[in-house]
Amino acid sequence: MRQGRWLVMLLVFALCGCTSFVARQIERPGHDNRADLAEFRQWLKRADFQFDAMSTQQGVRMAYWYGQPRAYDFRANVQEQRKDHHYSINFDYKFGVEPAKAPALPARGSVILLHPWGMEGSALTIWALLFANAGYTVVMPDLRSHGESADAPVGYGPREADDIADLVHDLRAANRLPGPLYLFGVSYGGTVALFVAPKLADVHGVIALEPYANAAAVIRRAPASGLFGHRWLASWIRPREVDHAIQRASRQLGVDLAQIDPGDALAHTPSCVLILRGAEDNLIAGDALRELARRSPRASYVEVSEEGHLNLPLRTDRLFPPLLDWMQALPPDSSGHCPGFTPLPFTATP
């Protein structure tokens, strides 16, 4: 199946040219990862998460997973191995009790989890189970044109933020979103979280893992990072063709990708914001995120040693315990001091 997908991609690449190929990737993130994420969806069903949908004010169907706090005794064991140029990461996830029989927990708040580009809500299943196990109501939407949500024109942040704000209002009207509310996003979803925050009056805290500070800038780096397919494709795609693709996609989507910058949204966010980036991230530039964090006195930027763009979101072992501490240390209002954050040290199995 995956081999067939790459053959189709190569055929499109050969027939349409580099500019059209890249523009298609920008315009239509697609649903190519649904088969790869099927096991995660089964885990969510096993944990009694509900799959639901609503319609936004713009008429966009938003699909999402919804889970209530349960004492799953869920444990995520992550083991990383590095030797010479070889790298591997292994996971061992276990429920201490049968998920369907896990007792309910009193809600400590709610967390909206926002997935990376080209994925869907279930991609953050491990985070969802950890948060639910820690006492939080969890909502995992499929962003527009991802997963089971409607194929509406993507906006690389602002449009998606409107969708999420509508989803939050809908859940609150149904008394399904106990406070305080936190936003947690990864990559594309991290930038969406930054755009959502000022649209909601009572967001208690925002956690953005490796968001982009400028949509066009990260698209220019995408081919070499492997985001649009195998890295060898980058040798076929010249910078000029990527710029042409950005211009074409901007016209097709009705947005200026070069002007999509979450800095203004961040500057108008009263809650504490934590921006994390792996020190070895080859997609998101560290200087850009440092400058982004300077747009708000309530924002802090932290680099996580030894981690890259793809593996940082997997390192729940290094990130989840201190993130819980950070959330619980947040001040009750915007006048208080934002807490610091220190990831757990890197350890690798020889």
Side-chain angles (χ1 to χ4, degrees):
M1 182 71 179
R2 182 172 296 186
Q3 182 179 8
R5 184 194 310 164
W6 286 115
L7 290 174
V8 171
M9 182 177 288
L10 288 174
L11 180 61
V12 171
F13 188 78
L15 294 178
C16 301
C18 298
T19 296
S20 295
F21 171 79
V22 175
R24 285 172 182 264
Q25 302 302 304
I26 299 169
E27 295 161 15
R28 298 184 63 83
H31 311 274
D32 288 345
N33 288 294
R34 283 198 53 75
D36 297 333
L37 297 170
E39 183 176 358
F40 280 157
R41 293 194 294 275
Q42 291 301 316
W43 276 66
L44 292 171
K45 292 177 182 177
R46 183 183 172 197
D48 203 27
F49 273 58
Q50 302 169 15
F51 191 68
D52 208 341
M54 54 81 68
S55 181
T56 71
Q57 293 185 23
Q58 297 180 11
V60 178
R61 179 183 185 272
M62 290 292 298
Y64 62 93
W65 290 94
Y66 177 89
Q68 295 181 320
R70 292 275 194 93
Y72 296 115
D73 190 20
F74 180 74
R75 302 173 186 178
N77 182 30
V78 182
Q79 290 188 337
E80 187 170 359
Q81 295 180 323
R82 298 190 186 194
K83 186 175 182 180
D84 299 327
H85 298 294
H86 298 286
Y87 168 86
S88 65
I89 187 166
N90 299 312
F91 308 95
D92 181 22
Y93 304 127
K94 291 182 179 178
F95 289 103
V97 299
E98 177 56 37
K101 298 179 181 179
L105 293 172
R108 302 169 68 177
S110 299
V111 185
I112 308 290
L113 301 183
L114 301 168
H115 63 78
W117 179 92
M119 293 288 184
E120 61 177 52
S122 67
L124 299 179
T125 290
I126 304 307
W127 287 99
L129 294 173
L130 287 169
F131 275 119
N133 191 70
Y136 292 90
T137 295
V138 178
V139 182
M140 309 159 66
D142 295 349
L143 297 174
R144 56 168 57 199
S145 286
H146 291 78
E148 290 294 314
S149 288
D151 284 328
V154 296
Y156 282 81
R159 287 175 180 164
E160 290 77 4
D162 287 338
D163 295 338
I164 300 304
D166 287 348
L167 172 60
V168 168
H169 294 320
D170 188 78
L171 290 168
R172 282 179 171 161
N175 294 316
R176 301 179 70 198
L177 205 64
L181 175 65
Y182 304 86
L183 303 175
F184 176 99
V186 177
S187 193
Y188 191 101
T191 300
V192 173
L194 298 179
F195 277 108
V196 174
K199 295 179 179 292
L200 301 170
D202 56 350
V203 172
H204 197 53
V206 182
I207 300 166
L209 271 63
E210 51 199 24
Y212 50 80
N214 178 273
V218 76
I219 290 169
R220 292 187 182 99
R221 298 164 69 100
S225 72
L227 188 64
F228 290 164
H230 288 299
R231 284 184 174 83
W232 59 262
L233 286 174
S235 63
W236 291 46
I237 304 173
R238 295 186 292 270
R240 181 181 63 183
E241 291 166 330
V242 176
D243 286 339
H244 290 164
I246 291 171
Q247 294 168 10
R248 183 191 118 164
S250 293
R251 291 192 299 270
Q252 290 291 109
L253 296 172
V255 298
D256 187 347
L257 293 169
Q259 297 300 317
I260 293 179
D261 173 2
D264 286 342
L266 180 59
H268 290 89
T269 299
S271 53
C272 296
V273 178
L274 177 62
I275 299 174
L276 302 180
R277 171 185 174 270
E280 298 180 6
D281 193 327
N282 64 352
L283 179 64
I284 307 297
D287 290 345
L289 291 189
R290 288 189 191 92
E291 187 61 33
L292 176 65
R294 294 190 187 105
R295 301 285 290 275
S296 169
R298 310 288 290 167
S300 58
Y301 169 70
V302 176
E303 282 197 351
V304 183
S305 65
E306 305 289 338
E307 307 298 348
H309 190 78
L310 296 180
N311 60 327
L312 179 64
L314 305 178
R315 297 308 302 260
T316 54
D317 57 326
R318 298 186 65 188
L319 298 181
F320 187 72
L323 281 177
L324 275 185
D325 292 341
W326 183 85
M327 292 165 63
Q328 293 161 23
L330 288 171
D333 54 47
S334 59
S335 64
H337 179 71
C338 293
F341 176 84
T342 303
L344 295 180
F346 169 81
T347 57
T349 303

